[in-house]
Each structure stands twice: as structure tokens, then as C-alpha cells.
Amino acid sequence: MSAISSDVIRGYNDTMILYILLNEPSYGYEISKLIKSMSEEKYIIKETTLYSAFTRMEKNGYIESFSDEDRGNGKRRTYYRITDAGRQYYYDKCEEWTLTKEVVEKFIKK
Amino acid sequence: MSAISSDVIRGYNDTMILYILLNEPSYGYEISKLIKSMSEEKYIIKETTLYSAFTRMEKNGYIESFSDEDRGNGKRRTYYRITDAGRQYYYDKCEEWTLTKEVVEKFIKK
DNA sequence: TATATTTACTACGACAGCCGTAGTACGACA
DNA sequence: TGTCGTACTACGGCTGTCGTAGTAAATATA
């Protein structure tokens, strides 16, 4: 087994995206590349999963979108920035992860 | 936050159930109590989730069901035992967990 | 200059697993 | 007699993921 089935990660895609947005805004394609490289190619988020996460998280108030103005007549990207609620959500998810990890590991044999 | 939302654990319910079945057969009610106590009350599996996991895993050949004969006219329990395929699946899941953990932790701030 | 590839998305619908609600049925205990 | 604990089953809704497909501009390659 070399790749992680993303169903395992279900519920943590949002967390990964938010992590990337913590420091500066970004956009779909860049985020997907970052997730891939940061995970050392072990996790590749599906495009549809990513973009539907944007929609959902914007609706939930965790991120805000804006268009870049500096690309002249080039194709516009949709950038996302994290909101305060998004930061809060992210840190809550981190706490939850710690708990989850502890629990799951009681059922894992190495 | 004191309880884990089970959506986070999605995909690991099967693993937890199989872990319990590794040593000896068991049945629904007992397994749910064990998951609760082993996780120190931090994770309580929903009944419907548990029983639908049984159906799915039996269909996939990871477990086999049998009725207990020794309860006289009392209500019969449905016991489950793990199969060889189930053991294999369990150990695969453990490996996957290690990988998943490594990946997710790159996106987590403590 | 023509073509392929990469970038950057959007739309749509299917599916799997989880979960809420509800109901059944037996035994024990007060 | 009624409540509580045990031990399930049925049904349907929801959410997040994923496959397939398509659009279109920018860039690299031939």
C-alpha cells in the first residue's frame, strides 16, 4: 500500500486546506499541489473534493473568496482567505485530532 | 470538546470492531460496550452504525456470523467471528493508519 | 505556427458510511 | 405492573467523496 484512500481522511480535508490558508490566501490549484508535496506524494486530493470543500467552507464562514486583480487579461483565479471562525474551527479540529489519534491507537496493532 | 464526532473516525469503525474480534468472537451489544470502555467513554459507536458494519463486513467476507445455542429459550444473540480475510484487512488498515497519521500530522498545529 | 500539456476551474450525479427515528422482544428487578 | 437493560432490525436522510465530463486560457514543445 503506497497511497492513502481518501475516505480515511474524510473530515480532515478541510483541516489540511485551512492549515495552508493560515499564513496567506491561496487558490485551488496551488493548494492541491501543496497538499501533494507536503504529504510527500502520499495524499493527492481530488479536484472535485477540493472545490466542493471551498463551497462548503465558504458557506460555513470559514473562508472568504476574492478574485485576483493583478493578472491582467490572464484567466482569473479565485483566492481564498481564512476567517477568524475558520481559524477557530481549525484549532478545534487539531484538538479533535489528538483525541481521535489516542482512541484509534488503542485498536491498532503495530 | 469531550467527545469525538464519529464522522472523523469514518472508515475506522470496521478496524475497531475487527480488533475486538481478533481474539474471540463477540456480538453487537458487547462490542459497543467494549469500544466505549476501551476509549474511556470518548467514543461511543451508534447502534445503527455498528450493525450496518456487521452486514457490510460479512458481505465482504471479513466476518462470519453464528447463533449461540446455549441460551435456552432466551433471546438469541448473533455472534461474529473474524475470518482470515478479515485479519488481513485489519492489518492492512493498521498500516494505512500509520501512513494516515504521518500525513495528517503535517497539517496539525499542537 | 500548430499541437500538447499545464493551469484553473465548473457541473452533475452516484455512492458509501453514518446517523436519527422508530419499533420489536425478551428478561430482570422493584 | 412498569421500568430498565439487553439485543437487535428497518428505513430513510444526509454529507463528503469521487467519477466523468467539459470549458478555456497560458505555456511549453515540435
Side-chain angles (χ1 to χ4, degrees), chain B:
Chain B
M1 197 185 342
S2 60
I4 295 170
S5 84
S6 65
D7 201 58
V8 171
I9 300 211
R10 193 185 176 108
Y12 276 89
N13 280 319
D14 291 7
T15 309
M16 290 190 240
I17 295 165
L18 291 174
Y19 174 85
I20 289 165
L21 297 178
L22 280 180
N23 294 319
E24 52 179 350
S26 186
Y27 59 95
Y29 195 76
E30 190 176 54
I31 290 172
S32 79
K33 294 289 151 197
L34 278 169
I35 289 177
K36 189 180 168 191
S37 63
M38 285 178 69
S39 71
E40 291 152 10
E41 264 74 34
K42 281 173 194 141
Y43 184 56
I44 293 155
I45 193 167
K46 300 290 178 301
E47 278 179 273
T48 38
T49 302
L50 180 61
Y51 290 107
S52 73
F54 286 149
T55 309
R56 182 176 57 250
M57 290 201 289
E58 186 161 32
K59 206 172 285 172
N60 290 338
Y62 300 149
I63 56 174
E64 285 166 354
S65 64
F66 60 97
S67 260
D68 60 335
E69 304 293 328
D70 303 331
R71 302 195 84 212
N73 48 6
K75 206 186 183 189
R76 293 280 159 84
R77 291 173 186 144
T78 304
Y79 277 82
Y80 293 93
R81 78 165 66 85
I82 193 167
T83 64
D84 288 346
R87 275 175 209 281
Q88 190 53 58
Y89 177 75
Y90 170 78
Y91 286 110
D92 287 349
K93 275 287 178 180
C94 289
E95 275 187 54
E96 193 189 54
W97 167 255
T98 307
L99 217 59
T100 302
K101 201 178 57 170
E102 278 168 27
V103 168
V104 173
E105 300 228 305
K106 292 188 202 296
F107 297 86
I108 293 290
K109 289 198 176 185
K110 285 135 193 171

Side-chain angles (χ1 to χ4, degrees), chain A residues 8-108:
Chain A
V8 170
I9 299 211
R10 193 186 176 107
Y12 277 91
N13 281 319
D14 291 6
T15 309
M16 290 191 240
I17 294 164
L18 291 175
Y19 174 84
I20 288 165
L21 297 179
L22 281 180
N23 294 318
E24 50 178 350
S26 185
Y27 58 96
Y29 195 77
E30 191 177 55
I31 290 172
S32 80
K33 293 291 151 194
L34 278 168
I35 289 177
K36 190 180 169 193
S37 64
M38 285 179 67
S39 72
E40 288 153 10
E41 262 75 34
K42 281 171 193 142
Y43 183 56
I44 293 155
I45 193 166
K46 301 289 179 299
E47 279 180 270
T48 39
T49 302
L50 179 61
Y51 289 106
S52 73
F54 286 149
T55 309
R56 182 176 59 251
M57 288 202 289
E58 186 161 30
K59 207 173 286 171
N60 291 337
Y62 300 149
I63 56 174
E64 285 166 354
S65 65
F66 61 98
S67 261
D68 59 336
E69 303 294 327
D70 303 332
R71 300 195 86 213
N73 50 3
K75 205 186 183 190
R76 293 279 158 85
R77 291 171 185 146
T78 304
Y79 277 83
Y80 293 93
R81 79 165 66 83
I82 193 168
T83 64
D84 287 347
R87 276 174 208 280
Q88 190 52 59
Y89 178 75
Y90 171 78
Y91 286 110
D92 287 350
K93 274 287 177 181
C94 288
E95 277 188 54
E96 192 188 56
W97 167 255
T98 307
L99 218 61
T100 302
K101 199 178 61 170
E102 278 169 28
V103 168
V104 173
E105 300 228 305
K106 293 189 201 297
F107 298 87
I108 294 290

